[in-house]
Amino acid sequence: FVLEEFLAGELTPVFFGSAINNFGVREILDALVNWAPAPHAREAVERVVEPGEAKFSGFVFKIQANMDPKHRDRIAFLRVCSGEFSRGMKIKHLRINREIAASSVVTFMSHERELVEAGDIIGIPNHGNIQIGDSFSEGEVLTYTGIPFFAPELFRGVRIKNPLKMKQLQKGLQQLGEEGAVQVFKPHSGADLILGAVGVLQFEVVTARLAAEYGVDAVFDSASIWSARWVSCDDKKKLAEFERANAANLSIDAGGNLAYLAPNRVNLGLTQERWPDIVFHETREHAVNLND
């Protein structure tokens, strides 16, 4: 009777247990397995992908650097959207059109990692080629969408107290930019990197991680930038003209995408009016390099 009422939504389950004594843990895990929603279909640019399809496909939703400080590794977290994954299978990295043999894939349980035969979230070692939003499959071209990258609201220039550690700074910012911990822009003109964030806390996190993981003492200075817009154009000639005329305001982000850094709202509006063929994006989908 109680079970029927619960299934009808008339009762709210309450679990009691103790993780340290391993009491009640199994019950709550079993309940999550039984009640959690099943994997659902996901939209790709090409079509809707059903989870029950036989062929493997998935996309990267997170990248984490230095999970093991001793090895300075980078792991790309991949969500399996269809099919099954088995260690050693060949899958295609669709953005760069390259096939890889997934033999060193890992899964995660707290701080421990182990090799797996199958799983819904897996970790792929990343040597700098994988970006958030990248799609993988057994060959079919599928471009998963839905991972927005918002235009930052705060900007800072970055410098270091010890110029001899410039390489460590560049490496650290490149990897943190790939993670999405902060947005990194390399201006066309000038050597100083520009960091963008949606909150001040992001800069504090980057400062701490640069010091702890890369041994870099970084200082952030205010930058005279109001907002950033990723730009694209179907006409390559027009885009080249735009780049030549606006080199002082253009930059490349950590994903290799072209961005316009506007010093104020008026400047952005006038630039959009002068270049009607250029599309200015407030968000960027990692899955597609807009200017490819």
Side-chain angles (χ1 to χ4, degrees):
F1 174 73
V2 173
L3 179 60
E4 290 179 356
E5 286 187 334
F6 167 70
L7 293 175
E10 298 175 5
L11 294 178
T12 301
V14 178
F15 291 89
F16 297 91
S18 170
I20 195 171
N21 295 316
N22 196 25
F23 170 74
V25 176
R26 172 66 61 184
E27 285 73 16
I28 192 170
L29 291 177
D30 288 342
L32 288 172
V33 170
N34 292 331
W35 300 331
H40 55 80
R42 295 198 71 93
E43 288 189 10
V45 172
E46 296 77 12
R47 65 183 182 85
V48 175
V49 180
E50 297 292 336
E53 296 181 18
K55 293 290 184 87
F56 167 86
S57 70
F59 69 93
V60 173
F61 65 92
K62 175 182 177 181
I63 292 176
Q64 179 71 47
N66 302 321
M67 291 188 65
D68 185 350
K70 295 179 181 178
H71 297 94
R72 295 291 183 184
D73 60 348
R74 280 182 285 176
I75 297 294
F77 289 71
L78 184 145
R79 162 71 183 273
V80 178
C81 297
S82 68
E84 294 182 354
F85 176 85
S86 60
R87 182 161 55 92
M89 72 184 298
K90 291 185 177 181
I91 56 178
K92 181 169 283 190
H93 186 180
L94 296 169
R95 179 175 57 83
I96 61 176
N97 195 30
R98 181 181 299 172
E99 194 174 67
I100 65 172
S103 56
S104 301
V105 172
V106 295
T107 188
F108 308 91
M109 179 60 71
S110 184
H111 63 283
E112 300 176 0
R113 297 188 293 177
E114 60 181 14
L115 293 173
V116 292
E117 294 297 330
D120 61 346
I121 295 178
I122 55 179
I124 301 176
N126 178 22
H127 303 291
N129 296 324
I130 302 176
Q131 301 176 12
I132 295 176
D134 280 358
S135 300
F136 290 78
S137 76
E138 287 190 74
E140 181 183 357
V141 176
L142 293 170
T143 309
Y144 284 105
T145 61
I147 306 181
F149 205 66
F150 297 98
E153 299 176 358
L154 302 172
F155 295 86
R156 299 287 187 273
V158 59
R159 56 185 173 88
I160 52 176
K161 298 178 180 179
N162 183 358
L164 297 177
K165 292 195 172 183
M166 179 58 70
K167 286 187 178 179
Q168 291 94 318
L169 173 67
Q170 292 175 342
K171 179 181 179 181
L173 290 179
Q174 177 66 28
Q175 294 186 357
L176 294 175
E178 291 172 359
E179 287 185 25
V182 70
Q183 298 187 46
V184 182
F185 299 95
K186 185 178 180 181
H188 278 8
S189 58
D192 294 337
L193 296 174
I194 301 295
L195 304 187
V198 295
V200 177
L201 183 60
Q202 283 182 262
F203 295 120
E204 297 177 7
V205 170
V206 169
T207 302
R209 291 192 61 182
L210 284 174
E213 299 173 19
Y214 302 94
V216 174
D217 235 346
V219 177
F220 295 146
D221 301 317
S222 59
S224 56
I225 298 172
W226 174 72
S227 189
R229 294 291 185 271
W230 290 277
V231 297
S232 65
C233 182
D234 294 331
D235 188 331
K236 299 301 180 184
K237 186 177 179 180
K238 285 283 186 183
L239 183 62
E241 292 176 4
F242 174 78
E243 290 189 55
R244 287 193 296 270
N246 297 275
N249 296 94
L250 293 177
S251 65
I252 300 295
D253 71 3
N257 297 280
L258 187 64
Y260 182 84
L261 303 181
N264 51 63
R265 186 190 296 272
V266 174
N267 173 274
L268 178 60
L270 289 175
T271 304
Q272 289 174 312
E273 289 179 12
R274 290 169 183 166
W275 299 90
D277 296 319
I278 305 297
V279 182
F280 293 77
H281 304 265
E282 293 187 15
T283 63
R284 175 174 65 85
E285 291 279 354
H286 280 84
V288 180
N289 190 312
L290 296 169
N291 297 300
D292 277 349

